[in-house]
Each structure stands twice: as C-alpha cells, then as structure tokens.
Amino acid sequence: FDGKSDAFDFSKKYSVLIEETIRIIIGDQKFSFALASAGSFSRRDLSPYSDIDLMIIILIVSSISTL
C-alpha cells in the first residue's frame, strides 16, 4: 500500500481477476451443478491470501415409491 492506492479498488479488481480465472478454467464445459460465491468473494472484497468461498449446488431428486 503506497498511500496512493485505494484498498477497496484493489479488492474489487482482485475479486474480478479470480472470477475471470475460474471462468477460464471452466471454459465451455457444461456441468450439472451451479457454482455460487460466498463471503468476501461474493462481495468482491477479497484481500491477498484470502480464502475463496465457493458453493456447489446440486439438485437431488428422491423418489419414494409406495407399495
């Protein structure tokens, strides 16, 4: 931090960089789940060395048959 930088601006840009990296890794692949961000990542408020909280959301369909 050099006194001229804006910490909030850095956090936002860093969060967007991580999001773009995830998009590049996934590419055009199709998955049967949703990926959602949580915590500071979802607020675009990542700091250096922050963990990246991701949720994998899947649909489970259960059928109960009656005899």
Side-chain angles (χ1 to χ4, degrees):
F1 188 72
D2 60 10
K4 297 178 184 176
S5 300
D6 181 1
F8 179 73
D9 186 52
F10 171 83
S11 294
K12 183 177 176 184
K13 288 179 180 177
Y14 183 54
S15 299
V16 170
L17 175 66
I18 297 298
E19 182 179 328
E20 289 173 352
T21 301
I22 292 169
R23 289 178 190 267
I24 289 169
I25 292 169
I26 292 174
D28 291 333
Q29 298 179 65
K30 302 294 180 195
F31 297 97
S32 59
F33 60 84
L35 189 62
S37 62
S40 60
F41 184 43
S42 67
R43 294 187 303 271
R44 293 202 167 162
D45 192 25
L46 277 180
S47 298
Y49 308 107
S50 287
D51 59 337
I52 299 168
D53 300 313
L54 296 172
M55 293 183 288
I56 298 172
I57 304 168
I58 61 173
L59 175 65
I60 298 175
V61 178
S62 176
S63 175
I64 300 174
S65 46
T66 59
L67 298 172

